[in-house]
Amino acid sequence: MRPPNVRGSVRRIDPKLQLMATGSTRHNVIRAEHAAALRALSDAQVGTTPAVRGDRVRLTTAAGLDERDTVHARGAPTVPEVEVSVFVRLRDAAASPVITDSTVAARSGRAVTARRDDQLTAELTLDQVAALERRPEVAYIEPGQPLSAPTPDRSVDRSTAPPSAERAFGDADVHGYGEDVLIGIIDVEGFDFSHPEFVDDHGTRFARIWDQAGTARVSPAVRRGASAPGIQDYGAEFHKPELDAALASERQGGLPAWRLEPQSQRVPGSHGTHVASIAAGAHGVCRRAPIAAVLLALDPDAEDRRRSFYDSTRLAHAVDYLFAMAGEMGRERGLDRPLPVSINISLGTNGHAHDGTSAVSRWIDAALSYPGRAVCVAAGNAGHVSPEHAAAPSFVTGPIHHRGHISAAGLVSDLEWQVVGNTVADVSENEMEVWYSSQDRVEVSVKPPGLPWVGPITGGEHVENHQLTDGTLLSIYNELYYPANGMNRISVFLAPFFASSGEVVGVRAGTWLVRLQGHHIRDGRYHAWIERDDPRRLGPIGASVNAWRFPSYFSARTHSDESTVSSLACGQRVVSVTNYDDTNRMINNSSSDGPTGDGRPKPDLAAPGTDIVAANGFARRGPADRWTTMTGTSMASPLVAGVVGLMLAIEPRLTAPQISGILRRTSRPLAGADYQWRKDAGFGVIDPAAAIEETRWYSGLPRG
């Protein structure tokens, strides 16, 4: 069945952004609760619009609404305006697009929030996006990608610290444990700056904390009195003197220091604190280095996520902020250069082509074109083959990727896409992207469970918000020549239905078929990924059905067990790290696999990430619970970031590619393996002492 609303056009805005533009304001306000790049502007009006939660919204199934089993939304149906956070790609790096709407400045201070080379980030209304698309200097506009909250396996708290020698690598007389290097941490759940792991005779070793959703202090730009490259005008920034004053008050019997200088997230067992402890705690790698941290507004338990951006534009700002901090701290120390900086990012996203051409990957790669900078990224934990927790319905969390080949025109490939049912109603928006060669023309059709086919949709065509009989909304885009990599992209979106009455119909459960049919084939190869969040329960629908934001996934028959590395970890110049189980001498089976979508060798290497003991943030009541154990690539990556910090302490002029080269050169293969790259282990397990010694040798070579 070819829907009547199929359209053909060449647009310069991303399909997801087009979908937002076709939605009603009310729909987009509700969507903002889980769309990372969308936010409602009016705090006063947000509370009057139903939220998609079991205790605040009426939920329904295809069979209809049972008034006895629902909780009514509060307030009138008044809705505020929405704003989207976007990357804008320019045709010319010297171009300067004009965004003149005065209401932008009144709301946000600046429409254009940052710029790097031919890209900029901006916060715009959907009307402003449409106006900007028409400007000749604009090549493409896309929303920030959603960032996945980390889901490491956690164990019980413990009283015993890791052995001090466990992360003591190389000669301290040579690298000084990184005292002349800045360790940057971009993470979530808060940073417990008062944990004994980060406190010495001079106070806390946290030099800065930028809380992007914070209000307890002023923003970085306000604190400095003016805007500057890398410095933003939102959130709250904490400086070491303020943190030290809070520590002194706590020692005198006052409240805990982290309560006196409160961040927007202070989660017991904080992920960010654990990660920082591995990279730069007193029992960590760079145990004398100053620490600068950025807390992203990615809080799954926030009362209302609609008012925040927590997308990849915020990650770009975080990276720029840390590099700016390195410059500031270099000047404070009387240097004629910035401090070298090693950044860890234990977050990820599954969207895009996994080839390093996403907007945020290109942003970070451009920032890494200067010496003395490095970024380590966790490869991801998309290798799971069991439920995340005992209370979750039985599902497979790993199948996010499919690779296939259409060998000739007229042949088809069917992808099986599972949407969870069986006591669960999925009220999230599900997204699949299929990337195929620009040499080919492929038609796409979609068959909802138990319903007729929708399509075919040919190259350059799209159908938006096609409503099925149960209310589910289906949108399909077949986009040609994506500007960053020249490839073609098919985007399929499954969305719940938001009725004007406040009722919500979950996405139709069952096996959806996505059929790819060759029209003109020269290459035939393609990759498909599912963008997904980890499961989050929202509330009951009646007596037997629960509303979830739930990750859809490929069936076992469709899933390809490779190329699941987070797209963020596929950047050209980042160091991509997977999880090595040191006890069992193998790669942890939860770790994501390579290669990248364009066949490059990522991950780069493995590091210990299984049962890692580090600081237990915000949870301690005494020595018995100062430490906790976590498992995941999130724990492996900061160890590498710490080793890179020691390398930069020895040779501050190292470039990001040189750092990757040394790490690859000195890594050791798994038992029984050779030196060839492997999709699960990269080029092998990090050998910190060898990497440090190689850096020392290279640094001593005469410079011509």
Side-chain angles (χ1 to χ4, degrees):
M1 177 184 70
R2 191 166 163 84
N5 57 337
V6 174
R7 300 287 184 270
S9 63
V10 176
R11 299 292 303 274
R12 288 182 286 160
I13 62 174
D14 182 89
K16 187 180 292 187
L17 203 52
Q18 293 185 49
L19 195 60
M20 292 176 183
T22 62
S24 67
T25 303
R26 181 187 183 89
H27 189 158
N28 280 327
V29 169
I30 298 174
R31 174 184 274 149
E33 188 175 342
H34 61 89
L38 199 65
R39 74 176 175 191
L41 292 172
S42 170
D43 287 356
Q45 290 178 302
V46 163
T48 67
T49 304
V52 187
R53 296 194 182 96
D55 61 343
R56 291 181 59 189
V57 73
R58 293 192 295 171
L59 297 164
T60 186
T61 63
L65 181 69
D66 186 344
E67 290 287 347
R68 296 169 301 175
D69 295 324
T70 61
V71 179
H72 292 269
R74 296 173 291 187
T78 307
V79 294
E81 196 175 9
V82 295
E83 191 175 57
V84 63
S85 180
V86 298
F87 287 98
V88 181
R89 182 181 176 91
L90 305 175
R91 296 189 186 279
D92 182 349
S96 179
V98 180
I99 304 175
T100 58
D101 190 330
S102 60
T103 61
V104 175
R107 285 194 308 266
S108 307
R110 290 178 294 166
V112 177
T113 53
R115 179 163 184 173
R116 185 169 291 281
D117 295 345
D118 64 345
Q119 290 192 104
L120 56 86
T121 61
E123 297 168 6
L124 305 169
T125 66
L126 293 169
D127 287 343
Q128 290 164 345
V129 170
L132 191 62
E133 183 193 10
R134 294 191 290 270
R135 297 199 61 84
E137 68 270 28
V138 172
Y140 202 74
I141 310 172
E142 55 192 294
Q145 293 175 268
L147 299 173
S148 298
T151 54
D153 294 330
R154 304 173 188 256
S155 72
V156 296
D157 300 344
R158 50 187 289 166
S159 60
T160 306
S164 183
E166 185 174 284
R167 298 173 195 136
F169 306 123
D171 187 346
D173 291 334
V174 174
H175 56 60
Y177 284 120
E179 60 186 347
D180 294 322
V181 173
L182 179 64
I183 295 298
I185 306 292
I186 304 173
D187 220 293
V188 296
E189 298 185 349
F191 300 99
D192 188 351
F193 62 90
S194 62
H195 193 287
E197 186 75 343
F198 307 109
V199 177
D200 59 21
D201 293 340
H202 303 287
T204 182
R205 290 189 19 249
F206 277 87
R208 301 279 195 281
I209 298 175
W210 178 28
D211 180 0
Q212 291 191 342
T215 58
R217 290 278 177 180
V218 298
S219 71
V222 170
R223 183 184 285 272
R224 288 159 181 76
S227 176
I231 303 301
Q232 293 293 329
D233 57 359
Y234 63 89
E237 186 183 41
F238 303 85
H239 284 212
K240 176 176 165 59
E242 298 149 2
L243 304 179
D244 285 344
L247 281 172
S249 177
E250 179 180 355
R251 292 191 189 103
Q252 295 170 6
L255 291 172
W258 51 267
R259 291 190 185 278
L260 294 172
E261 293 290 348
Q263 299 158 57
S264 60
Q265 301 169 50
R266 292 164 289 173
V267 178
S270 156
H271 186 273
T273 302
H274 198 270
V275 165
S277 173
I278 297 167
H283 294 80
V285 183
C286 282
R287 52 191 66 178
R288 294 180 189 164
I291 306 167
V294 181
L295 178 58
L296 300 187
L298 188 62
D299 183 1
D301 298 320
E303 176 59 26
D304 199 334
R305 306 177 88 188
R306 297 180 189 174
R307 287 172 284 224
S308 298
F309 289 129
Y310 46 98
D311 63 291
S312 56
T313 66
R314 270 26 191 178
L315 187 60
H317 295 172
V319 169
D320 282 1
Y321 171 86
L322 292 173
F323 290 143
M325 288 305 97
E328 282 191 13
M329 296 177 69
R331 290 189 294 272
E332 290 171 0
R333 296 188 180 202
L335 303 176
D336 59 358
R337 57 169 175 79
L339 285 186
V341 57
S342 177
I343 297 173
N344 183 78
I345 304 174
S346 289
L347 302 166
T349 178
N350 289 317
H352 215 267
H354 293 242
D355 62 355
T357 64
S358 70
V360 70
S361 288
R362 288 186 287 114
W363 190 287
I364 294 174
D365 279 343
L368 290 175
S369 62
Y370 299 90
R373 296 178 173 184
V375 174
C376 297
V377 182
N381 304 319
H384 280 298
V385 291
S386 60
E388 291 285 350
H389 51 81
S394 179
F395 72 102
V396 181
T397 62
I400 62 168
H401 173 249
H402 168 74
R403 182 181 70 173
H405 182 238
I406 301 171
S407 58
L411 299 182
V412 302
S413 181
D414 286 346
L415 285 62
E416 296 178 348
W417 187 8
Q418 302 292 140
V419 173
V420 173
N422 185 26
T423 76
V424 169
D426 186 358
V427 296
S428 61
E429 292 189 322
N430 296 266
E431 176 184 354
M432 179 193 297
E433 293 183 344
V434 182
W435 293 82
Y436 65 99
S437 172
S438 59
Q439 297 174 275
D440 299 332
R441 290 294 180 268
V442 172
E443 297 176 338
V444 57
S445 302
V446 176
K447 187 181 187 306
L451 295 177
W453 286 94
V454 177
I457 308 300
T458 64
E461 292 185 338
H462 65 269
V463 57
E464 292 173 339
N465 295 320
H466 175 67
Q467 190 166 23
L468 305 181
T469 55
D470 68 341
T472 301
L473 297 173
L474 169 64
S475 298
I476 308 169
Y477 299 82
N478 197 340
E479 184 183 16
L480 301 177
Y481 305 122
Y482 177 75
N485 59 16
M487 296 183 70
N488 301 330
R489 172 172 61 170
I490 293 169
S491 301
V492 183
F493 300 92
L494 313 178
F497 175 64
F498 300 99
S500 59
S501 62
E503 303 165 14
V504 180
V505 179
V507 174
R508 188 176 184 88
T511 301
W512 293 67
L513 296 180
V514 177
R515 173 165 290 175
L516 308 177
Q517 180 166 351
H519 186 60
H520 292 138
I521 298 296
R522 294 182 178 181
D523 183 292
R525 292 172 294 178
Y526 66 87
H527 287 274
W529 285 277
I530 295 173
E531 179 60 271
R532 52 186 289 157
D533 291 320
D534 289 304
R536 182 158 61 101
R537 188 177 185 273
L538 301 174
I541 306 176
S544 59
V545 176
N546 286 301
W548 284 72
R549 297 213 185 285
F550 213 86
S552 54
Y553 55 91
F554 286 121
S555 71
R557 182 161 50 184
T558 299
H559 171 55
S560 302
D561 188 20
E562 58 187 7
S563 300
T564 55
V565 169
S566 160
S567 62
L568 188 63
C570 292
Q572 296 275 353
R573 292 174 173 157
V574 304
V575 179
S576 175
V577 186
T578 192
N579 173 8
Y580 178 64
D581 182 342
D582 204 10
T583 300
N584 294 308
R585 295 180 297 170
M586 59 182 289
I587 300 300
N588 191 294
N589 63 9
S590 68
S591 296
S592 297
D593 290 337
T596 64
D598 56 339
R600 287 180 294 111
K602 295 285 183 177
D604 292 284
L605 75 166
T610 302
D611 295 329
I612 301 301
V613 180
N616 190 13
F618 305 112
R620 66 188 189 283
R621 292 173 296 277
D625 57 359
R626 284 182 177 166
W627 310 94
T628 191
T629 305
M630 296 187 191
T631 293
T633 58
S634 288
M635 286 61 254
S637 184
L639 185 135
V640 177
V643 173
V644 169
L646 299 183
M647 293 164 63
L648 286 169
I650 296 169
E651 178 48 82
R653 297 168 294 182
L654 288 176
T655 65
Q658 287 176 320
I659 290 167
S660 293
I662 291 172
L663 291 172
R664 291 180 175 189
R665 159 70 180 167
T666 57
S667 62
R668 51 187 171 82
L670 298 179
D674 57 20
Y675 290 103
Q676 297 299 307
W677 178 86
R678 291 175 39 150
K679 70 174 186 177
D680 60 343
F683 288 96
V685 181
I686 188 172
D687 187 332
I692 292 167
E693 183 57 33
E694 183 79 0
T695 303
R696 185 178 181 180
W697 169 80
Y698 178 76
S699 178
L701 292 177
R703 298 294 189 265

